[in-house]
Amino acid sequence: MNEFEDLLNSVSEVAPGDVVTAEVLTVDAGQANVAISGTGVEGVLTLRELTNDREADINELVKVGETLELLVLRQVVGKDTDTVTYLVSKKRLEARKAWDKLVGREDEVVTVKATRAVKGGLSVEFEGLRGFIPASMIDTRFTRNTERFVGQEFDAKIKEVDPAENRFILSRRDVVEEVAAAARQEVFSKLAVGENVTGKVARITSFGAFIDLGGVDGLVHLTELSHERNVSPKSVVTVGEEVEVKVLAIDEEEGRVSLSLKATTPGPWDGVEQKLAAGDVIEGKVKRLTDFGAFVEVLPGIDGLVHISQISHKRVENPKDALTVGQDVTVKVLEVNAADERVSLSIKALEERPAAAEGEEKAEKRESRPRRPKRQEKRDFELPETQTGFSMADLFGDIEL
């Protein structure tokens, strides 16, 4: 009797909220039956209270004879018998421990796993504890498709911990921005104006292409994409393509890098003297018309000017009266100036000058000459002798006094 009383006294009572040690007795039908040490009572550990993974196999998580540390949730009385058991949880005990670990750890970076996409963001798990990352804190840009993160493990910064409110907020964006800032600093330390660097086309816009230089996006403006004029960025580069570009300007304070793609490729004017020379007669296409002449493409990327005075022997008031854009013409090269990227052309030099036009041209030259003012001749008139001298009698001779 004394031994029995000692045994009864050694059995402690079990209450909700207690942390107990239990041995797994059986594993069956999605739950494990455990014997709570030092109590003489049993507990039930369901798959739901073991893990958040509803698809998990409980037989792979617990084994018969294994000893577990569990949290007592509540008492359960059998319907047909007076047997008393307790619902226990391994998951919630781990969550409690995780909460204890989290308190005071704001701004610390931890590794979490995204479990599912929820309204307004992502649900993540950290050491058995469920946390939340708002959509605005997932990436540097607002993320609408949060589903693509589910199943991934990544670093996130703890923003708020409140065990009483079961509130655990994290930010992946903070970590991404810090990593990007460190990468930018490293990239800027290696960049130098005038050097060629290699990067990947990150995105294309209507005004150019952004090149990822390994943490810094540099802009190749539309005018620096190609030697050709009025090209579409999409016709020159594609997203993901690796390109070599030249650094034109660096503004580390603003985080900007200006790049040029065309500066790394041979230009149409390179070696133009070997392709064109004064006196050459070539075919070209009228590219554009101005008030002072027509620009004709004579080589890819090279437009020469046919001045209005070189269009025809006849007087041309406006180039549009004689030529049209897209028209094929034969021209003669008058001058090639590679340094200034200029080519002077003539159409009329290949045409025979009409006689009428020659006369008109001479007339125009005469009309264009400034007229000299007429010189006034100085004449000295000598009066006759009878007019040089006279007397009073000559004037009043016929007057009677």
Side-chain angles (χ1 to χ4, degrees):
M1 290 295 295
N2 292 334
E3 291 179 1
F4 182 70
E5 288 179 3
D6 292 339
L7 181 60
L8 291 176
N9 292 332
S10 66
V11 176
S12 60
E13 294 183 359
V14 177
D18 288 350
V19 176
V20 298
T21 301
E23 181 183 350
V24 179
L25 300 176
T26 61
V27 180
D28 187 33
Q31 69 179 35
N33 295 319
V34 300
I36 301 176
S37 303
T39 65
V41 295
E42 295 183 359
V44 176
L45 175 62
T46 63
L47 178 64
R48 184 186 183 116
E49 294 301 332
L50 188 60
T51 178
N52 287 324
D53 185 1
R54 304 293 176 84
E55 303 298 325
D57 183 357
I58 193 170
N59 293 285
E60 295 180 358
L61 300 177
V62 293
K63 304 294 182 183
V64 174
E66 183 180 358
T67 300
L68 305 173
E69 190 176 27
L70 307 169
L71 176 67
V72 178
L73 300 180
R74 64 178 183 272
Q75 188 183 77
V76 180
V77 180
K79 295 181 180 180
D80 300 330
T81 65
D82 294 334
T83 306
V84 177
T85 57
Y86 291 87
L87 181 63
V88 294
S89 174
K90 182 174 183 290
K91 180 182 73 175
R92 300 195 194 194
L93 179 59
E94 290 174 346
R96 177 190 285 185
K97 291 180 178 180
W99 278 115
D100 293 340
K101 290 180 181 179
L102 285 177
V103 174
R105 294 175 64 182
E106 283 83 357
D107 293 330
E108 186 177 328
V109 176
V110 295
T111 301
V112 298
K113 182 177 182 178
T115 53
R116 62 193 180 103
V118 295
K119 184 178 180 181
L122 275 176
S123 180
V124 298
E125 184 177 306
F126 172 66
E127 296 185 1
L129 187 65
R130 182 176 298 173
F132 177 67
I133 301 180
S136 61
M137 295 186 181
I138 295 176
D139 210 340
T140 52
R141 297 183 182 88
F142 182 78
T143 303
R144 295 188 182 277
N145 181 22
T146 57
E147 196 73 42
R148 64 188 179 92
F149 290 96
V150 175
Q152 293 185 23
E153 286 190 353
F154 49 78
D155 289 342
K157 180 178 285 189
I158 300 172
K159 303 296 289 184
E160 186 179 348
V161 177
D162 188 347
E165 296 293 332
N166 200 32
R167 186 175 176 84
F168 179 27
I169 308 297
L170 304 100
S171 172
R172 178 179 176 272
R173 184 188 66 192
D174 285 13
V175 176
V176 173
E177 288 178 342
E178 289 177 3
V179 172
R184 279 197 300 271
Q185 187 175 0
E186 183 178 356
V187 172
F188 275 116
S189 67
K190 296 178 181 178
L191 288 177
V193 174
E195 288 188 351
N196 289 357
V197 294
T198 302
K200 284 189 177 181
V201 180
R203 60 188 188 280
I204 299 173
T205 68
S206 59
F207 55 84
F210 286 92
I211 312 299
D212 182 5
L213 302 177
V216 173
D217 282 357
L219 172 63
V220 179
H221 191 265
L222 180 64
T223 57
E224 293 295 333
L225 277 172
S226 172
H227 292 286
E228 296 182 30
R229 296 184 180 92
N230 302 321
V231 296
S232 167
K234 291 183 178 180
S235 67
V236 181
V237 293
T238 56
V239 173
E241 178 185 358
E242 190 171 277
V243 292
E244 183 180 8
V245 290
K246 185 176 182 177
V247 180
L248 300 181
I250 300 172
D251 188 342
E252 187 171 354
E253 186 174 342
E254 294 293 332
R256 296 175 183 172
V257 180
S258 297
L259 305 170
S260 175
L261 180 62
K262 74 177 184 181
T264 63
T265 59
W269 291 91
D270 294 342
V272 70
E273 295 92 341
Q274 284 74 45
K275 304 173 186 176
L276 285 177
D280 289 350
V281 177
I282 54 178
E283 300 294 324
K285 187 182 290 291
V286 178
K287 301 296 288 186
R288 62 189 190 279
L289 298 171
T290 67
D291 293 338
F292 55 85
F295 285 92
V296 177
E297 185 181 46
V298 292
L299 289 172
I302 295 182
D303 292 349
L305 174 64
V306 179
H307 191 267
I308 190 170
S309 62
Q310 293 296 325
I311 293 177
S312 174
H313 290 290
K314 297 180 180 180
R315 184 179 182 85
V316 177
E317 297 292 340
N318 192 310
K320 293 180 180 178
D321 299 334
L323 300 169
T324 58
V325 174
Q327 179 181 347
D328 293 324
V329 292
T330 303
V331 292
K332 182 176 182 179
V333 179
L334 300 181
E335 181 188 8
V336 178
N337 188 335
D340 295 333
E341 297 187 352
R342 290 187 307 189
V343 175
S344 298
L345 306 171
S346 176
I347 295 176
K348 78 175 186 180
L350 301 176
E351 299 175 351
E352 186 176 349
R353 178 182 297 173
E358 186 175 354
E360 290 175 4
E361 188 172 317
K362 290 180 179 179
E364 288 178 3
K365 288 182 179 180
R366 284 198 300 271
E367 290 177 2
S368 62
R369 289 178 186 170
R371 295 184 178 179
R372 296 180 181 178
K374 292 183 178 180
R375 298 174 62 181
Q376 294 183 354
E377 298 180 2
K378 291 183 180 181
R379 297 181 181 178
D380 295 330
F381 293 96
E382 202 173 287
L383 295 175
E385 186 176 355
T386 55
Q387 294 179 357
T388 57
F390 54 86
S391 64
M392 294 298 289
D394 294 329
L395 295 175
F396 305 109
D398 297 334
I399 300 175
E400 295 182 2
L401 298 175

